[in-house]
Amino acid sequence: MIFKILMMAAFIAVTVFIGFYARKSTRDVDGFVLGGRKVGPWLSAFAYGTSYFSAVVFVGYAGQFGWKYGMSVIWIGLGNAFIGSLLVWYVLGARTRAMTHHLRAQTMPEFFGARYSSPALRIAAAAIIFIFLTPYTAGVFNGLSRLFDMAFGVPYEWCVIVMAALTCVYVVMGGYVATAINDVVQGCIMLFGIVAVIVAVLMNYGGFTQAMISLSQVPSDAPGMAEMHGAYVSIFGTNLLDLAGVFVLTSLGVWGMPQMVQKFYAIKSTDAIRRGAIISTLFAIVVAGGSYFLGGFARLLNPESLPKTSAGLPIPDSIIPAMLQGIPEVLIGLVVVLVLSASMSTLSALVLTSSSTMTLDVLKGRYIREMNTKGLVVSIRVLIVAFVLVSTVIALINYKSQITFIAQLMALSWGVLAGSFIAPFLYGLYWQRTTVASVWACFIFAIGLVCGNWVYGLMNPPTNAGFMNPVNAGALAMLAGLVIVPVVSLFTPRPDAERTSMLFKESYLNVHDMKIDAD
């Protein structure tokens, strides 16, 4: 216990010191929100990777879907690496950096407003971000606090409160630069920690070969799969359709998540984007691949040892903590620091994105007419605290009521955000014909489908089942947007051809010449 406490104290001290050190970069809004658009490939890649993977993945998704699908969950980790980390950098990276730099856009709503000449779109996008990033943040709090409870015996409520306070301190002090530097430190801990934990857990089950043999002998409880031998070591698992839904949600979803795309706003050059893509992908292979690989062995647990839901099923968020209980105490401390690292980086990105969006896209020039640079930075800091408080309350309510679990919180958040933003953002970068009406159609469809499914589920206790799996609803919203935007655009009035042509020409001269810089 003393060793675990010392590890935690050292981690907190380093985190706060970096926030204090980075204060000099927060004198203006561009510095506070984007690091002055001068962030290099290593900082950008680690900031992207650590924001991507948090307690939501390690505790929530790896446990829940490892239990359901067995070793086939490795497909999700590979999708996160090659679609969510490699492909997105090459498709969105340079063009996002170029157009947002040309439009002087610091947030995703600001991009929508400037790209489509629509202040209303900017307000709508800001509202979507502020509302639907909150349940995702609550899910991160939830996952981390469960591990703290297991490792230290500290009540869940105090875990949430302490973590919220720590997040506020270093983000308020150091802004984007503090989060980026901390992400490198935290990312290194994650890389080392995930490998050490996998080795320790497998040793508890007699090594990799014996663990696979034991897993192959576990009978499936999936509908219609009782006679299938080795269901949990099969290549496509027990439910290919639902597995594909998780694959799409977690791999394609980051293409439209504002806290992820914003990393491309801040990177300093096209060359840095190319190098960052490789670094980010390697990071994802180890961290995401390792997390899901570990979760794939979840069925080796004794189901009777796990806490149950009212329906008699294992509580998904308790699975990974239960798998870790047999490993050495030193590694337990490392796991807590690992998940704390992952979660802190994600939380910092979420709260910075939400607060900057609310300040720059809603308050500035509307509710507060005269706001200088200092006032904007102060407003962002105040809203960081407000956003963390709201997320903390939701996390506490969620824990007390057990209305939903980490994976469902993420599905709600990612489904609405990515379903609303992926297609309008992607087509906005590449296709001049994209119209304002098509963006509105995408927003309305994603919110209607995902939220409608979620509300329908709340009306059907105790299972809380919607008319479709919430993960599949989010995945469907993302894929449907890729069809809705071009179809609606072709049947609605064209945008100003002269303006859009000039915008694309001026934005991408530097992309083709590979000379984008911080100037």
Side-chain angles (χ1 to χ4, degrees):
M1 180 61 71
I2 292 175
F3 181 77
K4 288 189 288 187
I5 292 173
L6 289 175
M7 289 178 67
M8 287 300 307
F11 175 83
I12 292 171
V14 170
T15 299
V16 174
F17 172 78
I18 291 173
F20 181 81
Y21 170 80
R23 287 184 308 160
K24 60 185 179 182
S25 67
T26 64
R27 296 189 180 98
D28 58 30
V29 175
D30 207 49
F32 192 93
V33 176
L34 297 175
R37 299 183 191 261
K38 298 178 182 179
V39 183
W42 284 92
L43 286 179
S44 294
F46 272 85
Y48 184 91
T50 54
S51 297
Y52 195 166
F53 309 114
S54 66
V56 170
V57 171
F58 185 76
V59 178
Y61 269 48
Q64 177 167 342
F65 297 117
W67 182 270
K68 291 180 68 174
Y69 309 128
M71 294 306 299
S72 63
V73 290
I74 294 176
W75 286 110
I76 304 172
L78 293 176
N80 292 176
F82 293 104
I83 297 176
S85 297
L86 180 64
L87 188 61
V88 68
W89 278 71
Y90 283 111
V91 175
L92 296 185
R95 290 202 170 221
T96 298
R97 174 63 173 82
M99 187 173 280
T100 57
H101 182 67
H102 178 73
L103 294 173
R104 301 298 178 188
Q106 297 168 313
T107 65
M108 185 174 278
E110 196 170 5
F111 168 83
F112 284 131
R115 166 64 180 86
Y116 297 107
S117 299
S118 174
L121 268 183
R122 180 176 178 178
I123 295 294
I128 292 171
I129 289 172
F130 196 79
I131 293 170
F132 289 100
L133 275 185
T134 305
Y136 182 30
T137 308
V140 176
F141 278 132
N142 192 340
L144 180 64
S145 298
R146 289 181 185 276
L147 277 182
F148 263 89
D149 193 6
M150 179 269 291
F152 294 99
V154 178
Y156 176 91
E157 294 84 351
W158 285 106
C159 295
V160 172
I161 292 169
V162 170
M163 184 169 174
L166 182 59
T167 303
C168 283
V169 168
Y170 91 85
V171 180
V172 166
M173 282 198 300
Y176 186 87
V177 171
T179 65
I181 297 174
N182 266 313
D183 288 343
V184 174
V185 176
Q186 295 161 356
C188 292
I189 296 172
M190 291 167 66
L191 288 171
F192 174 75
I194 194 69
V195 173
V197 168
I198 289 172
V199 171
V201 171
L202 289 181
M203 291 303 293
N204 278 347
Y205 295 124
F208 173 72
T209 302
Q210 183 57 49
M212 289 294 288
I213 292 172
S214 300
L215 189 63
S216 70
Q217 297 169 347
V218 177
S220 172
D221 59 7
M225 304 288 287
E227 301 301 320
M228 180 179 178
H229 297 287
Y232 296 112
V233 294
S234 64
I235 189 170
F236 292 126
T238 59
N239 190 324
L240 181 57
L241 179 62
D242 285 354
L243 179 67
V246 183
F247 180 94
V248 171
L249 182 80
T250 61
S251 301
L252 186 62
V254 292
W255 291 54
M257 295 300 289
Q259 80 277 12
M260 305 300 298
V261 176
Q262 200 165 5
K263 303 296 186 289
F264 303 135
Y265 293 29
I267 201 165
K268 67 180 182 180
S269 68
T270 302
D271 182 62
I273 289 172
R274 290 198 299 266
R275 286 184 288 161
I278 302 301
I279 299 167
S280 177
T281 303
L282 295 175
F283 182 88
I285 290 173
V286 176
V287 176
S291 296
Y292 286 110
F293 176 75
L294 177 65
F297 291 100
R299 284 283 177 165
L300 295 182
L301 289 169
N302 179 4
E304 300 304 318
S305 67
L306 297 171
K308 302 293 193 298
T309 66
S310 57
L313 299 174
I315 294 177
D317 303 341
S318 68
I319 292 172
I320 292 296
M323 293 181 72
L324 300 177
Q325 286 184 345
I327 68 176
E329 286 295 314
V330 172
L331 284 182
I332 291 289
L334 179 62
V335 168
V336 174
V337 175
L338 181 161
V339 181
L340 179 61
S341 299
S343 302
M344 290 294 296
S345 56
T346 302
L347 283 173
S348 62
L350 293 174
V351 299
L352 190 57
T353 299
S354 268
S355 58
S356 59
T357 293
M358 184 59 65
T359 297
L360 300 177
D361 299 307
V362 178
L363 298 181
K364 180 184 176 184
R366 289 178 176 81
Y367 298 101
I368 304 177
R369 295 292 179 185
E370 297 295 329
M371 187 179 285
N372 56 24
T373 298
K374 183 178 179 180
L376 289 171
V377 173
V378 169
S379 175
I380 293 172
R381 285 176 161 141
V382 170
L383 285 170
I384 286 173
V385 177
F387 183 75
V388 170
L389 286 174
V390 172
S391 302
T392 302
V393 171
I394 291 177
L396 293 173
I397 292 173
N398 169 243
Y399 178 73
K400 293 294 185 182
S401 63
Q402 292 188 350
I403 292 173
T404 189
F405 302 109
I406 292 174
Q408 282 66 44
L409 287 173
M410 180 176 169
L412 172 65
S413 178
W414 280 44
V416 171
L417 288 162
S420 297
F421 296 153
I422 287 176
F425 191 79
L426 180 62
Y427 286 112
L429 293 176
Y430 280 91
W431 192 35
Q432 297 182 33
R433 181 69 173 77
T434 311
T435 65
V436 173
S438 71
V439 180
W440 281 114
C442 197
F443 284 8
I444 293 169
F445 178 83
I447 295 171
L449 174 64
V450 178
C451 292
N453 183 63
W454 184 68
V455 171
Y456 182 84
L458 291 180
M459 296 169 62
N460 289 275
T463 61
N464 293 327
F467 49 81
M468 66 187 305
N469 184 310
V471 173
N472 291 347
L476 177 60
M478 297 176 196
L479 296 175
L482 297 174
V483 177
I484 290 171
V485 168
V487 169
V488 175
S489 292
L490 292 174
F491 288 94
T492 50
R494 299 176 65 95
D496 186 331
E498 182 178 352
R499 176 188 176 276
T500 54
S501 178
M502 183 62 66
L503 170 63
F504 273 63
K505 180 179 179 181
E506 292 179 355
S507 294
Y508 299 139
L509 283 176
N510 285 335
V511 173
H512 299 307
D513 293 339
M514 294 297 181
K515 293 180 181 178
I516 302 175
D517 57 36
D519 298 328

